Amino acid sequence: MGLQVRFTDELRSLAGAKWEAVINHRFTDALAAGTIDRDVLARYLVQDHRFLDSFVVLLSSMVAAAPSLAARIPGCQFLALITGRENTYFERSFAALGVDDAARESAPDTAPTVAFKALMRDAAKATYSEMLAVLVAAEWSYQSWGERVLPAAVQEPFTSREWVDLHSGEYFGSVVEYLRGLLDEAAATMTPAERAAVEVRFLAAVDIELAFFDAAYEDS
Amino acid sequence: MGLQVRFTDELRSLAGAKWEAVINHRFTDALAAGTIDRDVLARYLVQDHRFLDSFVVLLSSMVAAAPSLAARIPGCQFLALITGRENTYFERSFAALGVDDAARESAPDTAPTVAFKALMRDAAKATYSEMLAVLVAAEWSYQSWGERVLPAAVQEPFTSREWVDLHSGEYFGSVVEYLRGLLDEAAATMTPAERAAVEVRFLAAVDIELAFFDAAYEDS
């Protein structure tokens, strides 16, 4: 590869200021500091958990579409994490924040949640590269803020700490590198039209990530 | 449900003597007793590992097609097991049996392996119920022989013991019950044509399981 720029670096450059706005959002600073308003965090988690199912559909679809067993294995392990440890984080956090089932169920989907579900479900039926574009945008942006705030992250409450830990560190870094690697590899044989479709998916995901953080500060 | 017969029990009844032949095969008795011929076991494992990739494609496709997050979660956890602990069993067994990479790669696919790969890849593109039909046939038949031979299973060598342990016990029982439950549930709304397609997939899988055990005793 030498001095060649990675395709996924080009995608990030395309997102420009939007990418920076996502990874430097005040939500993540307040989360890491443990000073985040409980209602803001509760609103965020209720909505985030809403598209976990669509995320699993997208990731499992990518695993099925990947070109080899080696390319599938890390995806399978990550599927187990997000439906295991990450899912229990949500359950424990809702209990700690006093969000009961009725409150969770009665909150309407916010506009970014509706958009995320649609993007993930739609990408899951599109090409392998488009699936990866959405996965890379979501996980890489989260890792980027996770690593950024990690040095300042407090130990308690666990609602803050575990959400930072789930999105930083060696294991999560390996997941992001894995997803980026698959997309970089796929880029080598993309037609211009396929590449354009991938860019559209990536930029759409970054836009929604930003709107999603913003929405946590809007009373529903 | 009351006295109603489970759809998956009906499928097993349809397979009749073939099902019994699979779960009572001499291969599994010799495996559990630790008396299995090393060449037979090596041939079996080389071929079995050949379709692990197709199995992962089928299982991840089923996870993506399932109707809810709750229906996806155990599938995600099982994907992690078969690409983790089960995959390392193969690697360690090839080393213990003296099967090097060259020997693994030069062995041609047997006819049942070709048939299994085709069935799994094809079912992965078919309906959700057809995906489940193949998964249920494969996992339920393995659990049935695993539980049958477990009381007689020796502790060593690990090549015998771990293969029995991977296909018996509480966890694997929960996987089989999960897959059967999804298919029983899907059966409630199947048209006669869909039901016929599911039966064809199930019976094809049972046929291949039997041929697969037999093939381990044929010199290639």
Side-chain angles (χ1 to χ4, degrees):
Chain A
M1 301 284 279
L3 293 172
Q4 215 175 337
V5 175
R6 293 179 67 165
F7 175 63
T8 49
D9 279 324
E10 291 178 31
L11 288 175
R12 184 179 55 179
S13 296
L14 274 179
K18 280 279 181 68
W19 179 271
E20 296 304 317
V22 169
I23 74 166
N24 293 294
H25 201 281
R26 62 173 166 155
F27 176 91
T28 55
D29 288 319
L31 181 82
T35 57
I36 196 157
D37 184 283
R38 285 168 61 96
D39 290 342
V40 169
L41 182 57
R43 269 197 297 274
Y44 167 89
L45 290 177
V46 165
Q47 295 296 321
D48 201 90
H49 193 257
R50 287 282 171 85
F51 62 77
L52 177 60
D53 187 42
S54 298
F55 187 85
V56 171
V57 170
L58 177 59
L59 181 54
S60 54
S61 297
M62 187 282 285
V63 165
S68 67
L69 181 60
R72 279 182 249 282
I73 288 176
C76 291
Q77 299 298 320
F78 189 48
L79 275 168
L81 175 78
I82 61 174
T83 59
R85 187 156 71 99
E86 182 158 325
N87 201 38
T88 71
Y89 163 81
F90 281 107
E91 302 298 337
R92 287 177 286 118
S93 294
F94 290 135
L97 294 166
V99 182
D100 62 18
D101 287 355
R104 279 174 63 181
E105 283 155 29
S106 65
D109 282 359
T110 61
T113 298
V114 172
F116 250 147
K117 284 182 181 175
L119 179 65
M120 290 175 180
R121 295 282 179 160
D122 196 47
K125 294 193 176 81
T127 65
Y128 168 62
S129 298
E130 287 174 77
M131 297 175 197
L132 282 167
V134 176
L135 292 168
V136 168
E139 301 308 287
W140 191 16
S141 66
Y142 262 53
Q143 187 217 15
S144 299
W145 74 248
E147 292 293 341
R148 183 183 68 76
V149 304
L150 182 61
V154 296
Q155 287 301 320
E156 301 285 343
F158 81 87
T159 48
S160 280
R161 182 69 200 197
E162 282 192 35
W163 198 238
V164 174
D165 285 347
L166 279 164
H167 298 107
S168 59
E170 192 178 351
Y171 173 69
F172 194 60
S174 76
V175 170
V176 170
E177 185 53 39
Y178 153 73
L179 294 170
R180 289 185 60 195
L182 294 181
L183 186 52
D184 289 336
E185 194 179 310
T189 55
M190 276 178 201
T191 65
E194 286 165 346
R195 191 181 167 116
V198 164
E199 290 173 0
V200 167
R201 297 282 186 194
F202 186 88
L203 296 175
V206 174
D207 279 356
I208 302 169
E209 290 289 2
L210 182 55
F212 193 85
F213 280 141
D214 288 344
Y217 289 90
E218 292 157 16
D219 267 319
S220 56
Chain B
M1 303 285 278
L3 293 174
Q4 215 174 337
V5 174
R6 293 178 68 165
F7 175 62
T8 48
D9 278 324
E10 290 178 32
L11 288 175
R12 183 179 55 179
S13 296
L14 274 179
K18 279 278 180 70
W19 180 270
E20 295 304 317
V22 169
I23 74 165
N24 293 295
H25 201 281
R26 62 173 167 155
F27 176 92
T28 55
D29 288 318
L31 182 82
T35 58
I36 196 157
D37 183 282
R38 284 167 63 95
D39 291 341
V40 168
L41 181 57
R43 269 197 297 273
Y44 167 89
L45 290 177
V46 166
Q47 296 295 322
D48 201 272
H49 193 257
R50 288 280 171 87
F51 62 77
L52 178 59
D53 188 42
S54 298
F55 187 85
V56 170
V57 170
L58 176 59
L59 181 54
S60 54
S61 298
M62 186 283 285
V63 165
S68 68
L69 181 60
R72 279 182 250 282
I73 288 176
C76 291
Q77 298 298 319
F78 188 49
L79 275 168
L81 174 78
I82 61 173
T83 60
R85 186 155 70 98
E86 182 159 325
N87 201 38
T88 72
Y89 163 80
F90 281 107
E91 302 298 336
R92 288 179 284 118
S93 295
F94 290 135
L97 294 167
V99 181
D100 62 19
D101 287 356
R104 277 174 65 182
E105 282 155 28
S106 65
D109 282 0
T110 61
T113 299
V114 172
F116 249 145
K117 284 182 179 175
L119 178 67
M120 290 175 181
R121 296 281 178 160
D122 195 49
K125 295 192 174 81
T127 65
Y128 168 62
S129 296
E130 287 174 76
M131 298 175 197
L132 282 167
V134 176
L135 292 168
V136 168
E139 301 307 287
W140 192 15
S141 65
Y142 262 53
Q143 187 217 14
S144 299
W145 73 248
E147 292 293 342
R148 183 183 67 78
V149 303
L150 182 62
V154 294
Q155 288 300 320
E156 299 286 344
F158 81 86
T159 48
S160 280
R161 182 68 201 198
E162 282 192 33
W163 199 240
V164 173
D165 284 348
L166 279 163
H167 299 108
S168 60
E170 193 177 350
Y171 173 69
F172 194 60
S174 77
V175 170
V176 170
E177 185 52 41
Y178 153 72
L179 294 170
R180 290 185 60 193
L182 294 182
L183 186 51
D184 289 336
E185 194 179 310
T189 55
M190 276 177 202
T191 65
E194 287 165 345
R195 191 181 167 115
V198 164
E199 290 173 0
V200 167
R201 298 281 185 193
F202 186 88
L203 295 175
V206 173
D207 279 355
I208 302 169
E209 290 290 1
L210 182 54
F212 193 85
F213 279 140
D214 288 344
Y217 289 89
E218 293 157 17
D219 267 317
S220 55

